[in-house]
Amino acid sequence: ADPDEIGLMNIDEQLPVLEYPQPGLDIIKELTSPRLIKSHLPYRFLPSDLHNGNSKVIYMARNPKDLVVSYYQFHRSLRTMSYRGTFQEFCRRFMNDKLGYGSWFEHVQEFWEHHMDANVLFLKYEDMHKDLATMVEQLVRFLGVSYDKAQLESMVEHCHQLIDQCCNAEALPVGRGRVGLWKDIFTVSMNEKFDLVYKQKMGKCDLTFDFYL
């Protein structure tokens, strides 16, 4: 869509979340192909068509230290969740797999096991910040979308504007979208404990993350 038109769209209807009751599966069924559908579900809970390679999956992973900070801010910002505990307690819950959607460690490793599947594109949030243009090119090739240089440059510029808005918006926690946010929140002891848990749960996995940019 034209970038100026995107702002006028109802995001919940244009990009519905598979497991959310609103707008619901009826809206998803009414969308014409190619459809864009979001989900936070683990790989094993996604529709079988995805497992069979009949649909394409784009998976975005983020380094877990920044993710847990963002997740904490998200929980505190929503009235429906209204989390009022400390970040230390929230981080302990994260490390012990006691938050919504279960274990992040299992979630990300399960998708990583399928990152070589022809219908799966495994992306990292940090790479988007390092080289957005390359990531957009990966996306269009994966989706089989035709484009010219001018369209690509225009899309990258529009995405940069959206990223800047998210990182600097007064309505959102300061720096919400930046990489390395965890360094302002974690204590030394918390970071040491997190590193230990990370090593225990991810030790056999060759997936790596950039924690510093």
Side-chain angles (χ1 to χ4, degrees):
D2 183 277
D4 292 331
E5 295 179 2
I6 293 175
L8 302 176
M9 294 179 176
N10 182 326
I11 190 64
D12 291 327
E13 293 185 2
Q14 294 296 325
L15 272 171
V17 181
L18 181 64
E19 63 269 22
Y20 284 8
Q22 296 295 332
L25 290 177
D26 288 341
I27 291 293
I28 292 177
K29 292 176 181 178
E30 291 175 4
L31 294 176
T32 57
S33 182
R35 300 176 297 175
L36 295 174
I37 305 169
K38 293 189 297 185
S39 178
H40 299 302
L41 292 175
Y43 183 86
R44 60 188 178 276
F45 292 150
L46 292 177
S48 58
D49 276 358
L50 299 179
H51 298 168
N52 298 333
N54 296 328
S55 300
K56 295 188 177 184
V57 181
I58 300 168
Y59 186 79
M60 177 69 78
R62 188 177 186 181
N63 88 66
K65 293 181 182 180
D66 281 343
L67 184 140
V68 71
V69 173
S70 179
Y71 204 16
Y72 170 71
Q73 293 173 337
F74 180 70
H75 272 66
R76 288 179 60 83
S77 68
L78 292 185
R79 292 180 180 178
T80 53
M81 294 182 177
S82 63
Y83 181 81
R84 292 296 174 263
T86 65
F87 175 71
Q88 287 81 355
E89 174 59 26
F90 189 87
C91 193
R92 281 195 292 270
R93 289 175 179 268
F94 180 86
M95 290 187 289
N96 293 323
D97 308 330
K98 299 298 183 182
L99 293 176
Y101 289 101
S103 170
W104 174 89
F105 304 95
E106 292 180 4
H107 198 293
V108 73
Q109 288 182 83
E110 191 172 3
F111 273 95
W112 183 246
E113 291 175 359
H114 294 275
H115 79 281
M116 296 300 292
D117 293 1
N119 72 316
V120 175
L121 178 63
F122 192 106
L123 301 175
K124 297 179 186 178
Y125 182 85
E126 294 74 28
D127 291 341
M128 179 177 66
H129 282 259
K130 286 190 289 187
D131 191 348
L132 179 62
T134 296
M135 179 172 285
V136 172
E137 287 187 276
Q138 283 182 280
L139 279 168
V140 294
R141 285 198 301 269
F142 176 70
L143 296 172
V145 177
S146 59
Y147 66 99
D148 57 37
K149 184 177 180 180
Q151 288 175 314
L152 180 65
E153 291 176 349
S154 176
M155 179 55 65
V156 170
E157 175 59 28
H158 178 66
C159 289
H160 274 303
Q161 293 175 6
L162 289 177
I163 292 170
D164 289 341
Q165 290 173 12
C166 289
C167 289
N168 300 306
E170 293 182 2
L172 298 174
V174 176
R176 180 173 179 173
R178 69 180 172 85
V179 178
L181 179 63
W182 66 270
K183 293 180 290 183
D184 299 335
I185 308 295
F186 275 59
T187 63
V188 172
S189 60
M190 187 187 304
N191 189 48
E192 292 174 348
K193 178 64 181 299
F194 196 101
D195 285 344
L196 180 62
V197 172
Y198 182 89
K199 184 177 181 180
Q200 291 172 341
K201 297 190 175 187
M202 300 286 289
K204 296 181 180 180
C205 181
D206 62 349
L207 172 63
T208 60
F209 287 95
D210 193 339
F211 292 89
Y212 303 89
L213 277 183

